[in-house]
Amino acid sequence: MARPMIQRLWLAWEALFRWCARVHPLVEGESHLFLVATRRYMGRPFTVDGVHVKRFERVIELHFNNEMLLEVLQSEHKSLVGSTVKLLREAKRSLPVLAAHLQSEKFQKERVLYGVTFIHRGVQQFGFHVIPLNSQWIEQMTTWHLRNIFKVVNPNAAQLLENHPDAFVPKLVAISKEQLLQRYLPVQTDVSQASDVPGHATV
């Protein structure tokens, strides 16, 4: 089957999965790197930013926008570094939008955001922590799944997987909601208070 047809089928499957799993965009009608869903965490406990996440606790699950991911991997299909740089740039643009989105009342109970991905190089600069998967079985299954997706979207996947095998090991990436909001929530300026400061002039 031709690669474009496989990619269309994959995107159709992803759209169905997002609908069934209630994975939502940050802003309807806009394209950002991240999608979100609320879940009961089913993995092994971990701690991030001083917050301990236990099994069955409510968390915010991060997903990549696979249409955007497909565009990036195709435009930089021969360069792993080029793909990483573009994705980090998109992450920087999308994180303030994510922080604003999490101000909604429906996310009041969740304290941590997490995702499982092999695109984890450089995320520490954004405040995220990279945590090894503590289950060998889950790591093997996730590796198999993510590598097959990569082969679908990137015509040079086989060569990149051979040349950079360590770069395609999935990790758990997490950040506390409090830390995310502190870093990326836009600062609100109180105009009424500013106008009361002596010497303040409004132009």
Side-chain angles (χ1 to χ4, degrees):
M1 188 181 295
R3 184 175 297 275
M5 178 62 73
I6 295 175
Q7 290 174 352
R8 285 195 293 269
L9 290 174
W10 174 63
L11 288 174
W13 163 253
E14 286 292 317
L16 178 62
F17 166 79
R18 280 158 47 177
W19 182 79
C20 294
R22 299 181 180 181
V23 178
H24 302 293
L26 303 182
V27 180
E28 290 292 342
E30 294 184 10
S31 182
H32 299 283
L33 184 60
F34 303 113
L35 308 169
V36 294
T38 54
R39 293 276 186 271
R40 294 285 182 182
Y41 178 67
M42 302 303 293
R44 295 191 178 185
F46 67 93
T47 300
V48 60
D49 298 327
V51 180
H52 187 62
V53 181
K54 300 175 289 186
R55 189 169 293 179
F56 306 122
E57 188 170 347
R58 290 182 63 86
V59 293
I60 299 165
E61 192 174 75
L62 285 176
H63 294 260
F64 277 118
N65 178 343
N66 284 318
E67 292 182 6
M68 182 180 290
L69 185 61
L70 178 59
E71 291 178 6
V72 170
L73 292 178
Q74 286 182 329
S75 65
E76 299 287 342
H77 59 86
K78 293 183 179 180
S79 171
L80 184 62
V81 174
S83 297
T84 301
V85 169
K86 281 196 172 183
L87 289 172
L88 291 177
R89 187 182 302 135
E90 288 295 340
K92 185 176 182 180
R93 182 180 70 87
S94 297
L95 283 167
V97 183
L98 173 62
H101 183 66
L102 297 184
Q103 288 292 94
S104 170
E105 291 184 3
K106 64 182 179 181
F107 298 110
Q108 292 304 306
K109 295 181 180 179
E110 291 79 15
R111 299 187 297 161
V112 165
L113 300 84
Y114 92 103
V116 176
T117 179
F118 60 68
I119 305 174
H120 47 71
R121 287 191 171 186
V123 300
Q124 291 93 338
Q125 64 183 287
F126 300 119
F128 286 81
H129 299 259
V130 179
I131 303 170
L133 295 175
N134 291 323
S135 169
Q136 185 176 3
W137 180 82
I138 292 177
E139 181 175 321
Q140 290 175 346
M141 289 298 296
T142 306
T143 300
W144 176 84
H145 174 66
L146 294 176
R147 289 190 177 201
N148 277 303
I149 290 177
F150 188 56
K151 289 176 182 178
V152 168
V153 301
N154 193 310
N156 294 90
Q159 182 178 352
L160 290 172
L161 288 168
E162 182 179 352
N163 294 339
H164 307 278
D166 295 338
F168 294 90
V169 177
K171 304 285 186 181
L172 189 150
V173 175
I175 187 172
S176 68
K177 186 173 69 175
E178 180 181 4
Q179 179 67 227
L180 184 88
L181 296 181
Q182 286 179 356
R183 277 176 167 261
Y184 299 107
L185 193 65
V187 177
Q188 300 295 325
T189 302
D190 191 330
V191 178
S192 63
Q193 289 183 2
S195 64
D196 293 336
V197 176
H200 175 79
T202 303
V203 179

